[in-house]
């Protein structure tokens, strides 16, 4: 089985860990892995140049989580981190003092930046970085071109009445507390899908949308030229997992992103935002939480096959059960 997953950072990483665990159980290769092939197309719109280093938050969150090196308490970064270098950078007035990079994490960013300056593409660099870890999946950046999400907020002191900031500043420094007027993906229109991304979608047996931020993760991936067309053209069933449970984001401040584009923070609203493929959208199936089961009839009327299952990923076991439900939904669509 060939499975392609579109994913952002933390939520995507937890889902992928569960998917990998499930596949190792149901399709073992006899060596501790799986015969299934999992390719993950990862959002790189959060990427940023900081202190001369290329930081790729979503790629790294997934790599660390699947590599068993993530900090489970904080939910991001490397376990056992120290922050001496970031403290020194702050003393020199360099970088963002509120965006702390751990010393181990900096090793990743230094390596990535070195390889990029040597002329490797981000896809090639990602292959080099992930070779160190036993991930059990293949990570592909959505594009080798630099695409950065910026957030436009109101600023009455600015000549235009608006100002733009990098998504990470809005998300981490301001905790999405400044109402967003709109999101702008710098470099998007001139980007193309990274090598193998389109083929991974077209040749897949199953395509899954992880429960990642719909606006700045999944939408950003889909907006890369070539990816939406591939999703529309693939013969594989496309199944999404809701990042919203009972009207609240599972993690982070996704409600602030949805509000900015006029979408209600609700499992059905996100599904309708993606849309059904037979009506020009992207999805064939949708998983929502059991607490949102009452939303099922309207979504089915809109052309989606819907399953209400437990969505909380509180452990590897619950994440694996969710992944199994997503694959079962896809199997039902293939009948």
């Amino acid at each position: 089985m060939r499975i392609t997953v579109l994913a952002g950072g933390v939520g995507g990483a937890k889902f992928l860990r569960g998917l990998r665990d499930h596949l190792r159980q149901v399709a073992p290769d006899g060596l501790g892995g799986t015969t299934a092939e999992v390719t993950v197309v990862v959002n790189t719109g959060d990427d940023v140049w900081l202190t001369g280093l290329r930081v790729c938050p979503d790629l790294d969150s997934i790599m660390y989580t699947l590599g068993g090196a993530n900090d489970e308490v904080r939910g991001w970064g490397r376990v056992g981190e120290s922050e001496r270098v970031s403290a020194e950078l702050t003393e020199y007035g360099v970088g963002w003092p509120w965006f702390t990079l751990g010393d181990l994490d900096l090793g990743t960013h230094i390596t990535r930046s070195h390889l990029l300056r040597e002329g490797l593409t981000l896809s090639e660099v990602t292959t080099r970085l992930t070779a160190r870890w036993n991930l059990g999946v293949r990570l592909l950046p959505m594009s080798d071109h630099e695409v950065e999400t910026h957030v436009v907020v109101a600023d009455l002191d600015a000549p235009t009445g608006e100002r733009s900031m990098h998504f990470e500043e809005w998300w981490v420094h301001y905790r999405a507390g400044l109402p967003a007027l709109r999101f702008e993906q710098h470099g998007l229109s001139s980007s193309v899908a990274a090598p193998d991304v389109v083929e991974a979608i077209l040749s897949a047996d199953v395509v899954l949308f992880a429960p990642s931020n719909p606006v700045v993760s999944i939408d950003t991936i889909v907006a890369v030229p070539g990816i939406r067309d591939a999703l529309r053209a693939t013969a594989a069933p496309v199944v999404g997992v809701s990042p919203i449970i009972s009207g609240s984001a599972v993690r982070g401040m996704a409600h602030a992103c949805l509000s900015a584009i006029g979408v209600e923070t609700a499992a059905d609203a996100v599904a309708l935002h993606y849309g059904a493929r037979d009506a020009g959208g992207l999805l064939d199936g949708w998983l929502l939480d059991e607490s949102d089961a009452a939303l099922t009839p309207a979504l089915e009327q809109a052309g989606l096959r819907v399953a209400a299952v437990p969505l909380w990923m509180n452990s590897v076991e619950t994440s694996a059960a969710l992944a199994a439900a997503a694959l079962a939904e896809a199997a039902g669509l293939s009948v």
Side-chain angles (χ1 to χ4, degrees), residues 4 6 39-42 123 138-144 192-203 221 224-227 230:
T4 297
L6 274 59
T39 301
V40 188
V41 181
V42 183
S123 294
R138 182 187 185 194
L139 300 188
L140 296 176
M142 65 186 194
S143 177
D144 283 336
V192 296
D196 297 338
V197 166
V198 167
E199 178 59 25
I201 294 170
L202 292 176
S203 64
I221 297 171
V224 174
I227 294 182

Side-chain angles (χ1 to χ4, degrees), residues 35 74 78 108 139 143 214 230 238-239 244 249 258 322:
T35 57
R74 292 190 301 178
R78 295 278 297 274
T108 298
L139 300 188
S143 177
V238 181
V239 175
I244 306 298
L258 290 166
L322 176 56

Side-chain angles (χ1 to χ4, degrees), residues 1-71:
M1 178 182 289
R2 291 166 297 183
I3 303 168
T4 297
V5 185
L6 274 59
V10 177
K14 295 178 74 172
F15 178 77
L16 288 164
R17 185 167 55 182
L19 176 64
R20 183 185 63 180
D21 188 73
H22 171 68
L23 291 171
R24 285 175 173 175
Q25 295 177 46
V26 300
D29 63 2
L31 300 172
T34 175
T35 57
E37 298 177 10
V38 180
T39 301
V40 188
V41 181
V42 183
N43 168 53
T44 56
D46 295 5
D47 295 5
V48 62
W49 282 103
L50 188 65
T51 63
L53 303 177
R54 190 62 175 170
V55 180
C56 300
D58 287 0
L59 279 167
D60 292 343
S61 288
I62 294 173
M63 182 173 72
Y64 295 154
T65 298
L66 297 183
N70 64 304
D71 189 327

Side-chain angles (χ1 to χ4, degrees), residues 12-186:
K14 295 178 74 172
F15 178 77
L16 288 164
R17 185 167 55 182
L19 176 64
R20 183 185 63 180
D21 188 73
H22 171 68
L23 291 171
R24 285 175 173 175
Q25 295 177 46
V26 300
D29 63 2
L31 300 172
T34 175
T35 57
E37 298 177 10
V38 180
T39 301
V40 188
V41 181
V42 183
N43 168 53
T44 56
D46 295 5
D47 295 5
V48 62
W49 282 103
L50 188 65
T51 63
L53 303 177
R54 190 62 175 170
V55 180
C56 300
D58 287 0
L59 279 167
D60 292 343
S61 288
I62 294 173
M63 182 173 72
Y64 295 154
T65 298
L66 297 183
N70 64 304
D71 189 327
E72 295 283 353
V73 176
R74 292 190 301 178
W76 55 272
R78 295 278 297 274
V79 68
E81 272 287 19
S82 54
E83 298 173 352
R84 296 181 67 188
V85 175
S86 283
E88 282 297 291
L89 292 174
T90 297
E91 289 298 319
Y92 284 119
V94 173
W96 291 334
W98 40 264
F99 194 78
T100 303
L101 300 174
D103 297 337
L104 295 174
D105 194 28
L106 279 164
T108 298
H109 308 318
I110 292 169
T111 303
R112 176 186 294 116
S113 305
H114 166 74
L115 294 173
L116 287 172
R117 291 190 175 99
E118 288 287 305
L120 275 67
T121 65
L122 182 59
S123 294
E124 293 168 334
V125 172
T126 300
T127 298
R128 287 276 296 271
L129 291 175
T130 55
R132 172 187 173 184
W133 311 91
N134 181 26
L135 302 186
V137 307
R138 182 187 185 194
L139 300 188
L140 296 176
M142 65 186 194
S143 177
D144 283 336
H145 294 82
E146 292 184 8
V147 177
E148 293 190 2
T149 299
H150 287 240
V151 186
V152 179
V153 301
D155 185 348
L156 298 180
D157 295 327
T160 62
E162 300 177 349
R163 69 181 171 109
S164 177
M165 64 184 71
H166 192 280
F167 171 75
E168 290 294 345
E169 181 177 5
W170 181 74
W171 190 255
V172 178
H173 185 40
Y174 292 103
R175 303 293 296 170
L178 301 177
L181 300 177
R182 62 185 179 275
F183 297 97
E184 296 177 342
Q185 273 81 25
H186 294 190

